[in-house]
Amino acid sequence: VPQAPICSVLALAGRANTPGVRDVFDNKPKVKRVQCPLLIAHGNDDELIPVQHSKALAKLCRAKLWRLLLVDDVGHHDLDMDDDYLDELAAFVKHLAPDKAIETKQREAPSQYTGPADVVRAWLDTINMAQYTDGLLANGYFGIEFMQGLDEIDLQAAGGDDP
């Protein structure tokens, strides 16, 4: 399930046909080789990767494209928190393995959680670095895997202020 995929790094940078430059992150030939059902999802308000990348990859997909899901009012970092996306993902899993899928249930965010900022702030607070939250969010760093690899110098470079 590619979420907000890019056609290629060079295409994203506006240099898709640069002579002599090999794009090791070119997904166009890769998606043509996919042999299983594919759900491609992208937020229509994605500020980092234009939705045209998902549309182009969907057209190139030789596999039976199960669905190209374009979600309104969703950006790059909040697709996996959207109910429409989560419902479609559950339906896709049910399509792939009907006997293994569970029925979707009403989802509610915990009362202490209102968005990515809370997750980032809570994680940074556990390591006594909550002062870096605004800098990380302003630079688009929401992924916990990414953040876990940061040290104090990285956090300062991301825009945090010393306490």
Side-chain angles (χ1 to χ4, degrees), residues 16-39:
N17 297 316
T18 303
V21 177
R22 182 172 174 257
D23 192 344
V24 294
F25 296 106
D26 189 353
N27 290 321
K28 296 182 303 292
K30 294 172 186 169
V31 77
K32 291 177 185 178
R33 295 190 306 261
V34 172
Q35 298 297 313
C36 61
L38 190 62
L39 167 64

Side-chain angles (χ1 to χ4, degrees), residues 1 3 39 41 66-67 69 80 82-96 101 104 107:
V1 180
Q3 296 179 348
L39 167 64
W66 192 72
R67 180 150 186 219
L69 177 67
D80 59 352
D82 181 80
D83 282 339
D84 291 339
Y85 168 71
L86 294 172
D87 289 342
E88 196 67 30
L89 183 60
F92 182 60
V93 170
K94 189 172 186 173
H95 169 75
L96 294 175
T104 59
R107 290 178 293 276

Side-chain angles (χ1 to χ4, degrees), residues 116-138 147 151-152 155-156 158-163:
D118 293 330
V119 173
V120 172
R121 184 171 283 107
W123 178 78
L124 288 172
D125 193 43
T126 64
I127 58 172
N128 299 317
M129 294 186 168
Q131 71 271 20
Y132 299 110
T133 303
D134 293 336
L136 284 167
L137 294 174
M147 291 190 314
D151 59 22
E152 191 166 358
L155 292 168
Q156 289 171 351
D161 296 323
D162 287 327

